[in-house]
Structure formats: C-alpha cells, structure tokens
Amino acid sequence: IYNVSLWNGTVEFVVKHVAPPSRQKQSFGDRRKADSYQVEANFYHKLAASLQVDDGICLPAPYLVEHGPTDGEITICMSLLRGASIYNATDVQGALAWMAKFHAAHWGEDDIDSLVEDIGLQNNGSYWYLDTRPDEHSNMPRRGWEGRLKRAARAIDSCLKRDPMQCLIHGDPKDANIMLLDDTHHVAMYDFQYCGKGTPTRDIAYFLCSSCDEDQEEELVLYYYKQLVEQLVKKRRPPPSLEHFKDSLELAFSSYFFFMACRSRRKKSFQN
C-alpha cells in the first residue's frame, strides 16, 4: 500500500506484483494460477474502467498495468478500497445486487466469445469447473453418492457451458473478495483472476454456499433474480424465466458439490 501526495490531496493505492516461476517448473495448478494473474491484469487494463464509468460498478480503479521482463511477471497498481467485510443480511443483498449489475453489463452478447478473447479473460469463468480437476475426477470412487456425482459431472458441466444465460461472471465471489466501503457503504468486489464467460448461476451458487446461511437461500435467490431482471430491463434485454434460472442454479450447485468432493479427496490423499 502506497501514499502519494498531490497538489489536491493524497492518493492511496495498492501495488500487486506477481513473478511466477518459469513455465517449465510449473505444475498444472501452478500454470492455471499464473494464467489467472494475467487474466486479472487484462481485466484492469481493458475492462475495469468501462464497468465503473458506463455501468456504475464499484471496484478498484486501475492506475497502471505493466508486464515485466520475465515470462508471466505483472504489476498492477489500483486504488485502495477502505471498508469492512460484509456481515449482515443487508450487506449480502448488496453483494447480490452488485453481481446482478455485473452480470447484466455484458449479458447475452452475440460476440461474448470475441470479447473474452480480445480482453484476455477466462474462456470458462470461475475456478471450480470440471476442467480444473481432471485428476481428482479420475480418482473419485465409482460407487455411492460420489460415484453418481462422478458419472454426472461431465453432463452437468456441459449443460452449464451451453446455458443460454451467458455473460461475464466474477468467478470467485466469496466474502473474502467483497467489501462494504467506509465512505459510501456500497458493496465492492475485487480479485478478478477468474473473471470470464459463464452462466451467472456459477457465481450465485458459489456465493450462497461459501458466504451465506443455508436458511436464507430461497429468499436470496429471489432477491438476486429480481435485481437481475431490473438490470436487464434497463438494458432492454430479455430476462430469463425464474424457472430456467432455478434449474440452472441446481446444476451449478451440483457442479460446486463435485468441486468440494474433489477438494475433500485431495486433502485426504495429502494426509495419507
């Protein structure tokens, strides 16, 4: 964190510098992590400002994005957000409203694949879809509930990738990446390493599972859906039906449970 004094006040900003090991020394997970920092640099360099100005989305303002001399090295200078973690129902609703606005910004665009390619975002937004866990999927048991989930995983993943509700998603909307700003009390999000194309239900399923109480689920789903419809109506884009949204969300929940099952088995293998 740095402070720079200017004639009209002081500017506080954060410097994020990443210098990953050489490509030859990286594992599958290392390469995905290193690539995610490039995605974040691309997001701040080419997209963040327009989301702030055109869509009124709260996120860190990009000041400088620079690629270093070594392979994969990046430096991102961005504004410092001051605030606190979300902690009550109102804050959670604010986070869902933020996501609805973010998802609506590039909802259903015919050239969304070109947009993702031109900016350099994730072809598949989020970090927990099937392609990120090939070894864990292969090692899952063939019997019991894990076996049933293993057999269904590819079909579930395919349905989510073909869902007509395609937009740009945050990819990692957990409470650790969400802040209630001190000055405006608006919700802001950061950490855009896994931002890319996807169905919004991936974001919502992850957020509900990682950051919300289970007994709030139905109420929060309806709140998000209402916010999404309002944003899409403003942009004159047809919203999805509630039935379709809920069906997609159930698939996203199943995909997330698959991811958690893979993580659980990976931890057990490390312990053994």
Side-chain angles (χ1 to χ4, degrees):
I1 299 175
Y2 294 86
N3 295 294
V4 176
S5 296
L6 302 175
W7 65 271
N8 59 344
T10 301
V11 175
E12 296 181 308
F13 61 95
V14 177
V15 176
K16 185 171 185 176
H17 178 251
V18 180
S22 66
R23 200 76 174 175
Q24 293 76 13
K25 296 180 180 180
Q26 294 176 10
S27 65
F28 177 86
D30 292 336
R31 286 193 295 273
R32 177 159 168 76
K33 190 72 172 180
D35 291 342
S36 76
Y37 289 119
Q38 295 294 323
V39 167
E40 185 170 37
N42 295 336
F43 173 87
Y44 280 111
H45 180 54
K46 299 180 180 180
L47 187 62
S50 66
L51 288 172
Q52 288 179 308
V53 175
D54 298 338
D55 298 286
I57 296 174
C58 293
L59 49 86
Y63 294 150
L64 173 70
V65 177
E66 191 172 76
H67 294 268
T70 61
D71 185 28
E73 183 179 356
I74 60 160
T75 301
I76 306 173
C77 298
M78 66 191 92
S79 62
L80 173 66
L81 302 181
R82 290 200 176 275
S85 301
I86 59 174
Y87 62 91
N88 60 35
T90 301
D91 299 343
V92 168
Q93 289 184 345
L96 290 169
W98 187 100
M99 282 186 272
K101 186 179 290 188
F102 188 86
H103 294 153
H106 293 280
W107 181 277
E109 294 185 1
D110 294 335
D111 59 347
I112 191 166
D113 289 307
S114 298
L115 175 71
V116 167
E117 182 178 357
D118 291 344
I119 296 175
L121 303 178
Q122 299 281 0
N123 291 325
N124 294 297
S126 87
Y127 73 93
W128 50 270
Y129 59 96
L130 176 62
D131 298 345
T132 67
R133 294 292 183 275
D135 294 337
E136 291 86 344
H137 177 254
S138 178
N139 293 330
M140 287 179 71
R142 297 184 177 182
R143 297 181 179 181
W145 70 269
E146 287 182 301
R148 293 193 294 274
L149 190 56
K150 177 179 182 177
R151 291 190 293 274
R154 294 196 185 282
I156 292 171
D157 187 68
S158 178
C159 284
L160 289 171
K161 289 176 179 176
R162 290 185 288 106
D163 193 318
M165 296 189 299
Q166 296 298 314
C167 59
L168 291 187
I169 65 174
H170 180 280
D172 195 11
K174 57 188 177 185
D175 53 3
N177 294 332
I178 305 172
M179 180 180 292
L180 185 67
L181 301 180
D182 287 339
D183 52 353
T184 63
H185 300 291
H186 292 161
V187 167
M189 290 196 189
Y190 44 92
D191 194 348
F192 292 91
Q193 293 171 226
Y194 299 98
C195 178
K197 175 187 173 183
T199 172
T201 52
R202 283 196 184 273
D203 271 353
I204 303 305
Y206 180 50
F207 178 68
L208 293 176
C209 289
S210 67
S211 309
C212 303
D213 294 332
E214 186 176 353
D215 58 2
Q216 297 178 300
E217 180 183 311
E218 183 64 24
E219 175 186 349
L220 294 177
V221 168
L222 292 176
Y223 180 83
Y224 167 82
Y225 178 76
K226 179 182 178 181
Q227 295 295 313
L228 177 64
V229 169
E230 289 181 1
Q231 292 295 327
L232 292 176
V233 168
K234 289 179 183 178
K235 292 181 174 291
R236 298 182 180 180
R237 295 175 183 170
S241 68
L242 179 59
E243 180 181 11
H244 177 79
F245 179 81
K246 285 186 173 182
D247 287 345
S248 179
L249 185 60
E250 289 300 320
L251 291 174
F253 278 136
S254 298
S255 180
Y256 182 71
F257 297 154
F258 159 77
F259 165 71
M260 293 303 293
C262 287
R263 286 192 63 184
S264 176
R265 294 200 61 78
R266 189 176 185 184
K267 288 180 179 179
K268 288 180 182 178
S269 67
F270 287 161
Q271 291 170 355
N272 293 335

